[in-house]
Amino acid sequence: MPWIDACSTDDIDAEDVIRFDHGGRTFIIVRNHQDQYYCTDGHCTHEDVHLADGMVVENTIECPKHSSIFDVTTGEVETPPACENLHTYATRVENGRVMIEI
């Protein structure tokens, strides 16, 4: 799978999230409290709400609509009402750029 240049590391503050669209699909890129970057599907698995407006705390993101919480490192649901995990994608940083493998 190809590595895609998604954004600059400076585009995301610590404990924040941005939206990334590529190839007709939508993703989120999250920067945690330890300056690590993660990528998951962009929509909540509960009601298809985009997670780019969600709140990031350490390694989790909370859906802005019904407050489902996901672990961005694994995609695992931590708090319902969502019951299906998010897909996660390999992420690396190269020369100040966040690269994702999709």
Side-chain angles (χ1 to χ4, degrees):
M1 294 199 173
W3 286 90
I4 307 296
D5 184 336
C7 64
S8 168
T9 55
D10 294 336
D11 291 341
I12 314 170
D13 294 328
E15 288 190 301
D16 205 1
V17 57
I18 65 168
R19 177 179 181 149
F20 176 69
D21 296 320
H22 180 78
R25 297 169 61 197
T26 187
F27 307 90
I28 56 167
I29 300 170
V30 174
R31 179 177 173 181
N32 74 3
H33 61 298
Q34 296 175 317
D35 292 330
Q36 297 165 316
Y37 296 83
Y38 298 94
C39 180
T40 73
D41 288 332
H43 289 108
C44 179
T45 58
H46 176 235
E47 282 197 4
D48 208 31
V49 172
H50 210 287
L51 295 170
D53 293 326
M55 183 174 69
V56 176
V57 176
E58 296 183 358
N59 288 326
T60 64
I61 188 160
E62 181 178 339
C63 177
K65 187 163 186 180
H66 291 119
S67 301
S68 288
I69 296 175
F70 298 89
D71 181 327
V72 296
T73 67
T74 63
E76 188 174 330
V77 175
E78 292 191 354
T79 305
C83 56
E84 185 179 333
N85 296 341
L86 293 169
H87 292 281
T88 60
Y89 304 90
T91 307
R92 69 182 186 210
V93 175
E94 284 183 9
N95 302 317
R97 304 295 299 174
V98 179
M99 309 292 289
I100 60 174
E101 187 178 30
I102 52 175

